Amino acid sequence: MLVKTLLPAFVAVGSAMAQTPTATCSAVGGQATINSQADAGQYAGCKKISGSIIVGPNAPGTIDLSGPSEITGDLKVLNNGAIERFSSSDLTTVGGAFEMKNVTKLISINLPKLNAVKTLTWQSLTRLETIDLAVTKAEEVSVSDTFLKSLKGLDVTSVKKLDINNNRLLTTFTSSLANLGDLLNIQANGIGLDVSLPNLVWIANMTIANVTKFSVPSLAIVNGSARFDSNYFSSFSAPNLTETQSGDISFVGNGNLANVTFPKLTRIGGGLLIANNTELAEVNGFPKLKSIGGAVKLRGSFTKAELPALEDVKGAFDVSSTEDIAESCKTFGEVAPQSDGGNGSIQGTYKCTSNNSRANEDTSADGSIDGGDDEENSAAGVAFNTALFGLVAIAGLAAAL
Ligand SMILES: *[C@@H]1O[C@H](CO)[C@@H](O)[C@H](O)[C@H]1NC(C)=O
Ligand SMILES: *[C@@H]1O[C@H](CO)[C@@H](O)[C@H](O)[C@H]1NC(C)=O
Ligand SMILES: *[C@@H]1O[C@H](CO)[C@@H](O)[C@H](O)[C@H]1NC(C)=O
Ligand SMILES: *[C@@H]1O[C@H](CO)[C@@H](O)[C@H](O)[C@H]1NC(C)=O
Ligand SMILES: *[C@@H]1O[C@H](CO)[C@@H](O)[C@H](O)[C@H]1NC(C)=O
Ligand SMILES: *[C@@H]1O[C@H](CO)[C@@H](O)[C@H](O)[C@H]1NC(C)=O
Ligand SMILES: *[C@@H]1O[C@H](CO)[C@@H](O)[C@H](O)[C@H]1NC(C)=O
Ligand SMILES: *[C@@H]1O[C@H](CO)[C@@H](O)[C@H](O)[C@H]1NC(C)=O
Ligand SMILES: *[C@@H]1O[C@H](CO)[C@@H](O)[C@H](O)[C@H]1NC(C)=O
């Protein structure tokens, strides 16, 4: 029966029979389905599977796919509420997508030799608590809504997208990531999540939320934007960051944040947004920041704000605090537009206000809704880089998954 159903799906190629370990087995039509361990056992003699393997929605209990070291296509388990353990002692490579979505009884994934996948997408593996992998190569990795405490075994050095969200037990993420070509999203994982990226040198964009510790000691370049929302850390430092090439730096609603330092940052390609970080008493962590390609919006409960090296702001400049920042405003006034009595370093609309009880209410990247005297200035000047809005949308999407 099984052989019968398998034979049309799988054909041994070349002189070797399917039972010899050197055989390449081809999935007829490019795709074969495994519905039981007996089905999986049929591939024990294949060295390589040419095509994709789909584990059917009713495949139960334990599925062990030992034998093949390579699957040239995808490996997918979708909408399965029966499988508990998935393993292979031989699999090293998945040429396509390794996807597991809505596999709600899965407890363990044991693929100790799995080193390379094109993409890895795990979503709604709500009981998954044990993984044994050796993945170091992937273009995209997304792990969401699992029961994992650790992502040990998933450690890529170069990747386009890395999305880790809604893993409620995840409390540490340490990675050898060196560069990232599109977006890092970390959001809504375990309370107390400690993110450590000691080797990260450049990253295109990142959106980091609900994180308790975040360390990027080597980060030198952000190509796009870096956004930090609703985190729990009290201190943030990017000690080696020199510029964002095209996007924004933003910190919004980080309720414990008391210290932000970017000692080497000289240029922000987009805008700078710091808003509603109510413990931040001074904005003084940008000693070398000279040039800002977008707008500046600093709003909070600080008593002092300074950007002592500022030479060029293309967009609007809005500083407002619940506290008295008259001294800071006086200093900013020197680089305000000429129409505001400054030397023109700031080119967009300028305002700086003290004692604004609503200073923490406006956290938007555009416009302004404060209680001050700025009605005529909303959204005036050069707006924030649109990359920020793009990131907001993506973070929202990720959260909805
Ligand atoms: C998840 O899989 C179960 C079967 O285990 C299925 O009944 C359910 O509709 C799937 N949910 C979604 C959102 O696809
Ligand atoms: C980001 O900047 C670094 C350093 O300039 C560069 O090597 C890298 O190619 C850039 N990456 C992207 C995605 O633009
Ligand atoms: C997590 O961060 C998001 C912002 O991305 C925020 O809306 C949400 O309230 C935060 N959750 C907690 C528990 O802080
Ligand atoms: C910081 O950047 C400098 C110069 O680019 C580099 O030599 C140094 O190794 C970097 N520091 C860290 C901790 O990566
Ligand atoms: C990330 O940054 C790059 C610049 O390197 C930008 O072109 C791209 O649109 C950004 N991607 C996202 C998803 O925001
Ligand atoms: C400001 O941040 C606090 C958390 O620190 C949050 O509860 C509040 O909703 C935020 N306000 C706005 C307007 O985002
Ligand atoms: C803020 O952080 C920087 C760098 O981590 C540190 O040198 C400085 O002492 C801190 N300032 C305060 C007031 O804690
Ligand atoms: C802010 O309020 C304090 C206390 O009411 C007052 O002394 C101070 O002059 C006000 N500052 C400005 C700039 O209005
Ligand atoms: C305005 O003055 C600051 C120093 O006070 C200087 O760095 C900046 O280059 C000046 N801007 C212009 C347009 O002259």
Side-chain angles (χ1 to χ4, degrees):
M1 249 319 231
L2 283 166
V3 177
K4 228 173 163 187
T5 56
L6 275 165
L7 277 180
F10 259 84
V11 185
V13 173
S15 56
M17 294 300 293
Q19 258 57 30
T20 62
T22 51
T24 290
C25 303
S26 295
V28 170
Q31 177 172 311
T33 303
I34 287 176
N35 287 310
S36 66
Q37 181 53 42
D39 287 0
Q42 297 295 324
Y43 311 130
C46 306
K47 180 82 179 151
K48 173 167 161 181
I49 293 174
S50 174
S52 294
I53 291 287
I54 310 297
V55 176
N58 300 314
T62 297
I63 297 289
D64 180 70
L65 192 60
S66 291
S69 61
E70 181 180 358
I71 296 170
T72 63
D74 303 334
L75 170 60
K76 293 189 181 178
V77 188
L78 307 175
N79 301 318
N80 177 312
I83 189 171
E84 291 172 11
R85 294 169 203 282
F86 183 77
S87 60
S88 162
S89 48
D90 303 301
L91 190 65
T92 62
T93 307
V94 174
F98 178 17
E99 250 180 56
M100 292 200 165
K101 291 187 182 168
N102 185 27
V103 186
T104 48
K105 284 225 169 83
L106 189 69
I107 294 166
S108 73
I109 298 175
N110 208 271
L111 302 167
K113 291 190 181 162
L114 184 62
N115 171 250
V117 299
K118 185 156 200 292
T119 62
L120 182 147
T121 309
W122 293 351
Q123 189 184 304
S124 299
L125 310 181
T126 48
R127 291 197 194 164
L128 179 65
E129 57 181 47
T130 308
I131 55 173
D132 187 1
L133 307 163
V135 173
T136 59
K137 291 192 193 78
E139 284 178 19
E140 299 187 8
V141 172
S142 169
V143 178
S144 65
D145 202 7
T146 72
F147 208 58
L148 291 170
K149 289 194 176 80
S150 156
L151 296 179
K152 198 163 169 284
L154 253 181
D155 194 14
V156 290
T157 53
S158 180
V159 68
K160 279 191 189 138
K161 284 191 184 161
L162 181 54
D163 187 355
I164 300 171
N165 72 78
N166 291 284
N167 302 287
R168 302 294 178 161
L169 295 189
L170 189 70
T171 52
T172 53
F173 178 61
T174 300
S175 161
S176 17
L177 190 67
N179 58 72
L180 186 144
D182 198 347
L183 176 65
L184 169 66
N185 180 56
I186 298 181
Q187 185 164 25
N189 296 293
I191 298 294
L193 178 61
D194 180 345
V195 176
S196 176
L197 306 171
N199 302 330
L200 184 64
V201 173
W202 64 258
I203 188 165
N205 306 284
M206 59 179 146
T207 55
I208 308 295
N210 320 106
V211 158
T212 297
K213 276 191 182 167
F214 189 77
S215 157
V216 283
S218 306
L219 182 62
I221 302 280
V222 173
N223 310 91
S225 293
R227 183 180 174 97
F228 301 90
D229 283 354
S230 307
N231 293 288
Y232 315 118
F233 41 69
S234 56
S235 183
F236 179 93
S237 180
N240 232 19
L241 184 66
T242 57
E243 65 167 339
T244 73
Q245 291 174 342
S246 64
D248 310 322
I249 287 183
S250 111
F251 289 85
V252 175
N254 302 282
N256 300 331
L257 188 61
N259 188 5
V260 176
T261 50
F262 287 84
K264 292 189 182 171
L265 185 69
T266 57
R267 178 174 171 268
I268 295 178
L272 172 63
L273 172 63
I274 296 185
N276 192 27
N277 306 288
T278 48
E279 292 300 309
L280 189 63
E282 293 193 5
V283 179
N284 58 3
F286 299 88
K288 298 202 169 147
L289 184 56
K290 270 191 202 155
S291 138
I292 297 174
V296 173
K297 186 160 170 174
L298 311 178
R299 302 180 67 100
S301 298
F302 42 82
T303 53
K304 186 176 175 190
E306 59 183 17
L307 297 169
L310 206 57
E311 285 177 5
D312 183 20
V313 178
K314 295 276 188 283
F317 192 91
D318 170 8
V319 179
S320 187
S321 177
T322 56
E323 308 306 305
D324 186 337
I325 52 166
E327 280 301 313
S328 301
C329 290
K330 199 174 151 206
T331 308
F332 284 135
E334 292 167 12
V335 292
Q338 282 164 6
S339 53
D340 292 281
N343 74 357
S345 287
I346 295 168
Q347 289 145 58
T349 42
Y350 170 84
K351 65 189 183 285
C352 189
T353 54
S354 294
N355 294 342
N356 175 1
S357 61
R358 298 178 63 190
N360 282 305
E361 289 172 28
D362 179 3
T363 60
S364 64
D366 62 342
S368 187
I369 55 155
D370 78 356
D373 54 350
D374 61 317
E375 296 81 9
E376 76 281 10
N377 289 336
S378 290
V382 180
F384 273 80
N385 190 296
T386 50
L388 188 59
F389 301 102
L391 282 174
V392 171
I394 280 163
L397 246 180
L401 285 177

